Amino acid sequence: MSQIPLDVRDLTLRYGDVLALDGATARFPKASMTAIVGPNGAGKSSFLKSVLGLEAASGEVRAFGGPVADAMARIAYVPQRAAVDWSFPVRVIDVVLMGCYRQTGLLGRIDRRFQAQAMACLARVGMQDFARRQIGALSGGQQQRVFLARALAQGAELYLLDEPFAGVDAATEAAIINVLKGLQAEGATVIAVHHDLSTVAGYFDRVLLLNRHTIAEGPVAEIFTRDALARAYGPSLMLAAE
Amino acid sequence: MDEFLILSLPPMVIASLAALACALPGNFLLLSRRAMLGDAMSHVVLPGIVVAFLLTGSGNGWVMGAGALCAAGLSALLIEFVTRRARMEPGAAMAVVFTAMFALGVVLLEMTGTSGIHLDVEHALYGNLETLIWLPGPPPELARLALIAAGLALALRMVWRPLVLATFDPVFAQTMGIPVAWLRAGLTAATALAAVAAFQAVGSILTISMLICPAAAARLLTTRLPVQVAVSLGFAVASAVLGYVLAGYAPLWLGLPYTVSASGMIATVSGLMLVGAALTASHRARARL
């Protein structure tokens, strides 16, 4: 069991006086697809960032049986689309090639092999015709797909996605979920912060209900219950649903 | 030697080198929305130079440059301190720190006798480009600026790929093992170095415009970063040469009995280039619609 892709124990994160995470604990088995679900301010994005060591959280995080820092080359992170300046003067293909940085390094030549690899990743998300476009000329959904293509270029085994479906069109949503299911079929592990409760059961096989600490985690069929949701979101959600 | 080679060529080359050295970090300051840092660095240089002179009594360019770099480092720390302790937004913290330090520099200048080494308030603002002539050999600023411009270009080439990544998407860059904080500090240091080198030759007004104007103008004309940097370097040299020539000759062509400050004219030309680029860009945007 030491090879479990991600094992998080007692993750606690404080921003000043605010407790963003309070002992969150979760295990993510190999080739699983997990939705992280919870109300606004539940610490879902903080959970991903803390796991990656981007926030100074306390607790124990192990990836593939060792410290996360040693496994970063096997992990791909897809930040929220809003996290970057899309008017930045780079083309789509340049962004995807950023995913190859670990192989190309500081000065390594970006030869035809990397170009082909990046184009293949773009094709996988249906964006091969946009390779030479400036990223600012894309729609929100297309930008999200470029981010996913960049993660694919990393050739990772564990994918962490922060709200990949936020503000994207239906075609993009379908394209992204197709790619993620394909990754899962290849044996990769996928974890995504997700907002739309109505699609959790259709898209994911596991769920982590988070509200600063773990409310419940496990297979969707067992965990994604009215009772657990009420505990995560409070009774107001149930009233809205009824 | 020809009068042009002795009197005009050295200042023109020095202004061009200063513009090149400034435009390189300027491109990345602009993209990381830290243009204000260039402003800060070009102002804090003044107290550093004055203090270095007061402490050592030396008018040597390298000594005063070292003093200026120390002041730049100190101000970077102060900006961090004010941002965190006073919970001020970084832009405001920079403005507080650099205006205070620049004012301190002016006061120190007026209270002490540094005018013997071409260091007074006027030179701090306008530089002394016109006095950097070939007499009897090349002015020391020439070699110093050439060295610094070449060093900055080489350093930028070395860290280009991680720097672009860290500027575009710092969070993702961190997950790729890129030392984002170090690159950020490195850009601050490069800005300080360029500002110090340029300040001694061209003064603080021109340094600010050299750091930002060429990059901002180029930014409007292209959607590819390598092209942006190349175009900004072209603008940098063009504004230095054109500005110098206009300052020296335009009033004569108009029949006026004087010349105007080269630094001021170069800054004005680079500002006009920015306006031209903005008009071109908006015209092109309208043509696309």
Side-chain angles (χ1 to χ4, degrees):
Chain A
M1 277 314 275
S2 71
Q3 283 304 301
I4 181 160
L6 189 62
D7 190 353
V8 182
R9 272 180 218 156
D10 245 353
L11 204 60
T12 299
L13 176 67
R14 227 171 237 295
Y15 295 113
D17 300 333
V18 181
L19 200 57
L21 289 169
D22 185 10
T25 295
R27 288 164 70 90
F28 302 89
K30 185 169 161 57
S32 64
M33 223 170 126
T34 307
I36 302 179
V37 172
N40 284 331
K44 302 182 295 288
S45 295
S46 300
F47 181 86
L48 291 189
K49 287 188 180 168
S50 301
V51 161
L52 289 161
L54 299 170
E55 303 276 7
S58 66
E60 194 190 2
V61 182
R62 296 182 74 74
F64 302 104
V68 175
D70 296 347
M72 287 306 284
R74 300 165 75 177
I75 304 175
Y77 172 56
V78 181
Q80 284 187 19
R81 191 162 47 85
V84 306
D85 170 14
W86 287 94
S87 72
F88 201 89
V90 286
R91 298 168 307 171
V92 167
I93 188 83
D94 302 321
V95 173
V96 180
L97 282 166
M98 288 177 185
C100 303
Y101 176 74
R102 279 181 194 279
Q103 295 131 61
T104 56
L106 209 53
L107 296 167
R109 227 171 70 78
I110 295 180
D111 53 23
R112 222 176 268 162
R113 183 166 56 98
F114 288 114
Q115 295 278 356
Q117 188 184 330
M119 282 306 290
C121 295
L122 275 177
R124 210 165 154 182
V125 298
M127 288 288 292
Q128 66 278 12
D129 297 337
F130 295 83
R132 310 271 155 208
R133 290 271 186 95
Q134 200 267 330
I135 53 169
L138 304 179
S139 73
Q142 291 169 332
Q143 291 172 347
Q144 190 65 57
R145 285 195 253 174
V146 172
F147 259 15
L148 182 58
R150 180 177 68 176
L152 293 173
Q154 290 177 255
E157 297 159 60
L158 171 60
Y159 290 80
L160 305 180
L161 302 94
D162 199 346
E163 299 207 23
F165 304 112
V168 304
D169 53 287
T172 294
E173 185 154 334
I176 291 176
I177 202 67
N178 249 331
V179 170
L180 295 183
K181 288 197 164 165
L183 287 171
Q184 183 188 20
E186 291 163 19
T189 307
V190 176
I191 303 168
V193 171
H194 192 54
H195 256 306
D196 183 1
L197 295 180
S198 68
T199 52
V200 168
Y203 289 174
F204 297 90
D205 54 25
R206 289 173 62 85
V207 68
L208 164 60
L209 267 173
L210 195 70
N211 194 353
R212 290 200 286 278
H213 62 275
T214 303
I215 305 289
E217 62 150 336
V220 172
E222 290 169 31
I223 297 305
F224 204 60
T225 62
R226 187 168 270 240
D227 181 44
L229 283 172
R231 273 185 289 141
Y233 285 85
S236 56
L237 178 83
M238 295 301 109
L239 288 175
E242 274 159 9
Chain B
M1 238 191 298
D2 182 53
E3 188 186 324
F4 172 79
L5 289 180
I6 297 173
L7 296 181
S8 293
L9 190 61
M12 264 160 75
V13 173
I14 285 171
S16 300
L17 288 171
L20 289 172
C22 287
L24 290 169
N27 275 287
F28 286 88
L29 287 180
L30 198 68
L31 288 172
S32 53
R33 298 172 192 271
R34 292 204 294 154
M36 189 72 153
L37 187 71
D39 206 356
M41 287 301 154
S42 51
H43 278 92
V44 300
V45 164
L46 180 64
I49 286 179
V50 178
V51 169
F53 175 72
L54 292 178
L55 289 180
T56 64
S58 159
N60 180 293
W62 292 102
V63 172
M64 295 203 287
L69 276 182
C70 289
L74 180 68
S75 74
L77 291 177
L78 270 175
I79 289 166
E80 277 293 301
F81 179 80
V82 173
T83 309
R84 288 195 189 165
R85 280 305 172 88
R87 301 214 174 152
M88 217 179 250
E89 56 122 347
M94 280 182 208
V96 167
V97 170
F98 83 68
T99 45
M101 287 185 73
F102 187 70
L104 177 73
V106 170
V107 170
L108 280 176
L109 256 186
E110 292 192 323
M111 286 169 57
T112 53
T114 49
S115 53
I117 53 159
H118 282 301
L119 193 55
D120 51 44
V121 176
E122 197 179 319
H123 282 120
L125 289 177
Y126 307 127
N128 50 352
L129 206 46
E130 288 89 344
T131 65
L132 303 175
I133 55 176
W134 194 285
L135 198 72
E141 282 84 354
L142 189 64
R144 192 157 60 228
L145 273 167
L147 202 64
I148 286 170
L152 287 175
L154 185 68
L156 181 61
R157 177 65 199 95
M158 292 300 291
V159 302
W160 175 268
R161 211 172 278 164
L163 183 63
V164 172
L165 223 172
T167 309
F168 171 59
D169 192 346
V171 175
F172 177 80
Q174 246 174 301
T175 70
M176 298 294 273
I178 292 170
V180 175
W182 281 107
L183 284 171
R184 207 181 137 83
L187 181 58
T188 305
T191 305
L193 192 63
V196 168
F199 177 91
Q200 287 179 296
V202 300
S204 67
I205 292 181
L206 188 45
T207 304
I208 302 162
S209 95
M210 281 178 165
L211 276 165
I212 302 304
C213 283
R219 173 92 176 79
L220 291 166
L221 298 178
T222 172
T223 53
R224 295 205 54 201
L225 189 50
V227 179
Q228 179 190 316
V229 173
V231 170
S232 76
L233 296 179
F235 277 146
V237 173
S239 61
V241 173
L242 197 63
Y244 189 85
V245 171
L246 285 178
Y249 300 103
L252 300 181
W253 296 336
L254 295 174
L256 301 170
Y258 51 82
T259 60
V260 295
S261 149
S263 295
M265 188 53 94
I266 294 172
T268 305
V269 168
S270 50
L272 288 175
M273 283 182 175
L274 180 54
V275 172
L279 291 176
T280 311
S282 69
H283 182 75
R284 268 206 258 162
R286 239 178 292 131
R288 265 201 302 273
L289 287 177

